[in-house]
Amino acid sequence: MNSRKAEILVGGFVVLAFAAGMMLALKVANQSMAGQTETYTLNAKFDNIGGLKVRSAVKVGGVTIGRVDSITLSSRDFTPVVKMSISKEYNQFPETSSVSILTSGLLGEQYVGFQPGFEIEGIENLAEGDFIEDTKSALVLEDLIGQFLFSKGQ
Amino acid sequence: MENLIEIDNLSFSRSGRLIYDNISLRIQKGKTTAIMGPSGIGKTTMLRLMGGQLKPDSGDIKFKGESIPNMRRKRLFEVRRQMSMLFQSGALFTDMSVFDNIAFPLREHTNLTEDLINTVVQLKLQAVGLRGAAHLMPSELSGGMARRAALARAIALDPELIMYDEPFAGQDPISMGVLVKLIKALNDALKLTSVVVTHDVTEVLTIADYIYILAEKKIIGSGTPAEIKNSDSPLVQQFLQGLADGPVPFHYPAGDIRQAFLGSSL
Amino acid sequence: MNWLASIGALTIAKMGSFGRATLMLLGAIIAKPQFIKNTPLTIMQIYVVGVQSLLIIVVSGLFIGMVMALQGYTILVSYGAEGSLGPMVALSLLRELGPVVTALLFAGRAGSALTAEIGLMKTTEQLSSLEMMAVDPLRRIIAPRFWAGMISMPMLTLIFSAVGILGGHVVGVDWLGVDSGSYWSIMQATVDWDKDVMNGVIKSAVFGFVIVWIATYKGYDSIPTSEGISKATTQTVVYSSLAVLGLDFVLTALMFGIE
């Protein structure tokens, strides 16, 4: 085995592995070439987050604008605090915006639905670290059934 | 006469079994010293001790007055460049051609250009008569040729000391003759110091300047070939003449066979 | 008391051999690397352990991807969820099957060969002869093989997973009629680069490390007889397979277990 041939074949091996990595990156994981875009952080308090998870999507009208960064329980009032990182591209949301936890499809994953508010004079845009006041919790099936039965009973 | 290697009061044991018990010997510079003895007494171990691959339990091995067992690893590697060892199997690298095998120590330890290395390798191969076999792989060589190629590799860096581990074992008479001639010629031409470990009596008597005979963990005889031949030690004579039984018993130590078979009824 | 003593003896023997293995590893990779001399040797070894394992990796990856698509389809279609075939194939390959199956194949194909090669070098006194030529066999023989294995394993895993996903596509889309668009797009929506792809690569690097470590140590420490080498080769395959499966659980728990 001469070393020239080995070098060529090893070169081919590396190219093949690189191609496989590229395929996984672009075609499978859909990683854009630009890399991570810059983000800013928004917080929201919910009564109940349901099945929301870290890395769940944050969407406006179906368009993903960011992801859930972390989910913690506030030590003061024992409500979940969801920290979201939102792409810097979308930094024009007014403070009146609201967020709710929605489900994609009947059995699908849960995501944060972001509803931009109205732009009125004197209302500032959301900035790094702000809390979104207007939140709607996840629908919990058991609660829904309970409400349904309660309303029937009346 | 100056000594290249001095071994003093060496004891060595392996896995609890004593192999050398307090032995001393001298290897004179520029001479061929043979270490002989029946198989299984650890003659190869002696070479490994001299090369610093094994450490003795007690006693000292000095190479040019410097203690090998107490050397730091780096110094030991420097010292090893002045010695080389011809292994019983030849130990050629099986993934390289004969040429690359002989060029290997040159490439590792010198900064010679490929041109110069080529010249040196050709010369060494010419010396052992294998210049035509440079392109062959070790698996294509006969046993005798492999040992000659290994010899060419051993002298590639022009060492001061060559240790031969059973150079004649398993060789046909012609290859044996070739090897004897080569070892002699190399010694005379390069003024090398050689240590030959072997049990081939006749060959050794023709090439050695001094002979040590090891048996039962001790040196049982030493001297020039003439002195050895005329030795009156029964052990030495048994070894030289190849008698089956004698001071070195035919049987591995065991109890009395009558006792073993018939029990205590006798 | 005999069983207690034998447990003790076993522990001491295992600890001793673990210590020797660690020393060997340190001697091979930590002591002053010689890049200029070792790079060609490492490339040669990547050829031996990497390129020569390529065929078995590609063929196994293809068939495993195809079988997963076939099995997954029959289950998913009964829920009308055959659109999720893409993520199912991709995630199981990237997270688990890619690193683990590649590692098991690598242990059988390259690990055993490494052990046998080094063991035979020991038997034929080539290692001793290197030492007597003032060349450290750890650096000259062990180190290039070690690095080659470490480099080859993640690359083989990437190739395995990619080929498997293509194999899943062949069966799922071209044969069973899952929509090609949904195969890729749902996969893209589900698979995450850092969490799934990179974790798989990290896993495979760890497996590669363990396999070449076991393989080179078993060869280096083998008893230089034909029986000793056959035993060492068997041990390499058995120990590295067990180590891979055990480590896989630990790594998976660390990577995916804690949300």
Side-chain angles (χ1 to χ4, degrees):
Chain A
M1 185 67 215
N2 70 52
S3 63
R4 179 90 189 128
K5 197 177 152 204
E7 276 168 17
I8 292 170
L9 286 167
V10 170
F13 177 49
V14 173
V15 169
L16 193 63
F18 187 73
M22 287 301 284
M23 182 201 134
L24 293 180
L26 299 176
K27 190 114 183 156
V28 176
N30 201 19
Q31 190 81 347
S32 66
M33 291 299 281
Q36 293 292 327
T37 49
E38 286 198 39
T39 58
Y40 67 105
T41 307
L42 292 178
N43 298 303
K45 268 188 188 174
F46 293 94
D47 292 333
N48 191 332
I49 57 159
L52 194 71
K53 291 196 177 65
V54 172
R55 292 205 52 80
S56 294
V58 179
K59 293 181 180 181
V60 175
V63 179
T64 304
I65 58 161
R67 297 205 173 268
V68 172
D69 229 17
S70 69
I71 299 172
T72 50
L73 199 62
S74 160
S75 54
R76 247 183 312 132
D77 46 10
F78 303 111
T79 51
V81 176
V82 175
K83 203 178 200 181
M84 299 166 285
S85 44
I86 310 291
S87 167
K88 274 256 166 73
E89 264 180 274
Y90 311 106
N91 57 356
Q92 303 291 321
F93 296 118
E95 278 188 330
T96 51
S97 304
S98 65
V99 285
S100 45
I101 294 177
L102 303 173
T103 308
S104 55
L106 195 59
L107 296 166
E109 289 211 331
Q110 291 195 302
Y111 65 95
V112 178
F114 191 100
Q115 194 69 46
F118 296 108
E119 292 192 44
I120 312 168
E121 282 296 311
I123 301 279
E124 287 181 38
N125 285 340
L126 287 167
E128 168 77 29
D130 280 357
F131 269 84
I132 300 168
E133 303 296 336
D134 188 2
T135 63
K136 253 186 241 113
S137 291
L139 287 176
V140 178
L141 204 57
E142 290 87 333
D143 293 351
L144 273 185
I145 293 169
Q147 278 171 16
F148 175 73
L149 291 177
F150 183 69
S151 66
K152 278 284 173 195
Q154 278 184 331
Chain B
M1 197 41 143
E2 203 184 335
N3 293 324
L4 191 68
I5 294 182
E6 299 178 352
I7 296 182
D8 293 309
N9 308 323
L10 174 91
S11 293
F12 181 77
S13 58
R14 187 152 47 189
S15 22
R17 197 166 67 93
L18 194 63
I19 293 176
Y20 300 127
D21 183 13
N22 199 18
I23 63 175
S24 303
L25 54 85
R26 303 271 177 275
I27 311 284
Q28 289 178 347
K29 198 166 184 171
K31 300 276 184 186
T32 302
T33 307
I35 298 172
M36 303 174 67
S39 41
I41 56 135
K43 297 189 295 292
T44 309
T45 309
M46 180 59 79
L47 295 186
R48 287 183 193 266
L49 283 162
M50 288 181 189
Q53 290 192 323
L54 298 172
K55 281 201 196 307
D57 297 346
S58 65
D60 204 0
I61 302 161
K62 288 203 181 84
F63 180 82
K64 288 184 176 173
E66 213 177 335
S67 163
I68 287 190
N70 297 327
M71 258 177 214
R72 298 182 63 97
R73 189 175 170 76
K74 195 168 168 229
R75 177 68 191 142
L76 182 63
F77 271 43
E78 281 165 22
V79 168
R80 277 189 189 155
R81 291 183 200 183
Q82 301 166 26
M83 45 171 93
S84 67
M85 185 155 161
L86 184 70
F87 286 86
Q88 192 170 354
S89 60
L92 291 170
F93 302 127
T94 41
D95 55 344
M96 302 179 190
S97 68
V98 170
F99 180 93
D100 290 327
N101 259 288
I102 292 152
F104 180 84
L106 298 166
R107 287 180 180 146
E108 282 293 323
H109 292 310
T110 66
N111 294 319
L112 300 178
T113 59
E114 273 304 301
D115 262 2
L116 220 49
I117 287 179
N118 186 32
T119 315
V120 174
V121 173
Q122 299 283 355
L123 284 173
K124 302 291 177 190
L125 279 171
Q126 178 73 14
V128 298
L130 287 179
R131 200 160 52 86
H135 60 281
L136 295 179
M137 295 303 280
S139 55
E140 297 168 301
L141 299 178
S142 72
M145 282 159 83
R147 228 165 272 192
R148 275 150 72 190
L151 184 55
R153 187 178 66 180
I155 57 170
L157 282 173
D158 296 323
E160 290 179 45
L161 168 73
I162 299 194
M163 296 179 270
Y164 300 90
D165 184 6
E166 303 277 5
F168 314 114
Q171 298 292 307
D172 63 77
I174 299 176
S175 335
M176 193 115 89
V178 168
L179 282 165
V180 169
K181 178 180 158 283
L182 267 176
I183 294 174
K184 252 186 177 166
L186 285 173
N187 264 32
D188 296 344
L190 303 171
K191 299 275 170 276
L192 287 172
T193 310
S194 309
V195 181
V196 183
V197 150
T198 182
H199 48 236
D200 291 279
V201 177
T202 36
E203 282 70 29
V204 161
L205 291 176
T206 62
I207 57 168
D209 296 310
Y210 203 82
I211 297 174
Y212 287 97
I213 300 183
L214 285 175
E216 325 221 291
K217 306 159 195 166
K218 298 264 190 201
I219 293 173
I220 55 161
S222 65
T224 59
E227 287 167 12
I228 289 283
K229 263 189 235 174
N230 300 325
S231 163
D232 46 9
S233 154
L235 216 62
V236 173
Q237 286 306 328
Q238 187 203 351
F239 185 71
L240 289 184
Q241 291 163 20
L243 302 175
D245 211 349
V248 175
F250 167 70
H251 290 289
Y252 191 85
D256 186 14
I257 189 165
R258 279 168 299 185
Q259 194 84 46
F261 282 4
L262 303 172
S264 50
S265 64
L266 261 176
Chain C
M1 285 321 257
N2 267 343
W3 62 273
L4 201 62
S6 65
I7 290 177
L10 191 73
T11 312
I12 291 169
K14 291 291 165 204
M15 289 313 283
S17 92
F18 185 71
R20 284 201 302 281
T22 310
L23 283 181
M24 182 205 81
L25 188 71
L26 294 181
I29 62 172
I30 300 210
K32 195 171 60 173
Q34 298 165 301
F35 289 110
I36 298 157
K37 260 182 199 161
N38 272 350
T39 310
L41 293 173
T42 308
I43 288 177
M44 194 67 209
Q45 289 305 319
I46 293 179
Y47 171 77
V48 174
V49 300
V51 177
Q52 293 192 346
S53 308
L54 209 49
L55 184 68
I56 190 172
I57 293 294
V58 168
V59 172
S60 324
L62 188 68
F63 278 104
I64 285 183
M66 284 162 58
V67 159
M68 290 225 320
L70 203 55
Q71 292 280 12
Y73 181 81
T74 54
I75 295 169
L76 290 174
V77 80
S78 56
Y79 298 101
E82 68 266 27
S84 299
L85 189 65
M88 194 208 87
V89 171
L91 285 182
S92 29
L93 276 171
L94 289 169
R95 288 183 180 178
E96 280 303 322
L97 288 173
V100 172
V101 176
T102 309
L104 294 178
L105 291 171
F106 188 77
R109 168 67 185 75
S112 59
L114 276 179
T115 306
E117 188 193 16
I118 294 172
L120 268 172
M121 281 184 173
K122 191 175 179 182
T123 313
T124 55
E125 296 173 317
Q126 292 183 48
L127 294 183
S128 270
S129 128
L130 274 173
E131 237 175 62
M132 284 308 296
M133 278 188 240
V135 176
D136 188 346
L138 288 180
R139 277 186 225 164
R140 170 78 202 191
I141 302 291
I142 307 289
R145 284 165 176 75
F146 183 83
W147 289 120
M150 285 280 292
I151 295 168
S152 300
M153 251 302 285
M155 302 211 300
L156 289 171
T157 303
L158 283 177
I159 294 171
F160 182 95
S161 300
V163 169
I165 289 169
L166 290 177
H169 185 271
V170 168
V171 168
V173 176
D174 301 338
W175 183 17
L176 297 172
V178 173
D179 179 50
S180 177
S182 68
Y183 185 84
W184 292 117
S185 67
I186 301 181
M187 193 191 295
Q188 286 170 5
T190 321
V191 175
D192 181 70
W193 174 258
D194 291 334
K195 202 175 153 196
D196 299 320
V197 183
M198 284 324 282
N199 275 352
V201 169
I202 292 169
K203 264 188 185 179
S204 69
V206 174
F207 295 162
F209 173 85
V210 171
I211 292 170
V212 282
W213 188 15
I214 292 176
T216 47
Y217 172 69
K218 282 288 163 198
Y220 192 69
D221 199 51
S222 63
I223 300 156
T225 60
S226 33
E227 195 198 357
I229 292 175
S230 89
K231 201 174 147 199
T233 313
T234 313
Q235 281 181 343
T236 293
V237 176
V238 173
Y239 288 2
S240 36
S241 304
L242 290 178
V244 163
L245 295 172
L247 270 174
D248 181 51
F249 176 75
V250 175
L251 289 174
T252 306
L254 285 177
M255 286 167 172
F256 302 105
I258 303 149
E259 284 279 325

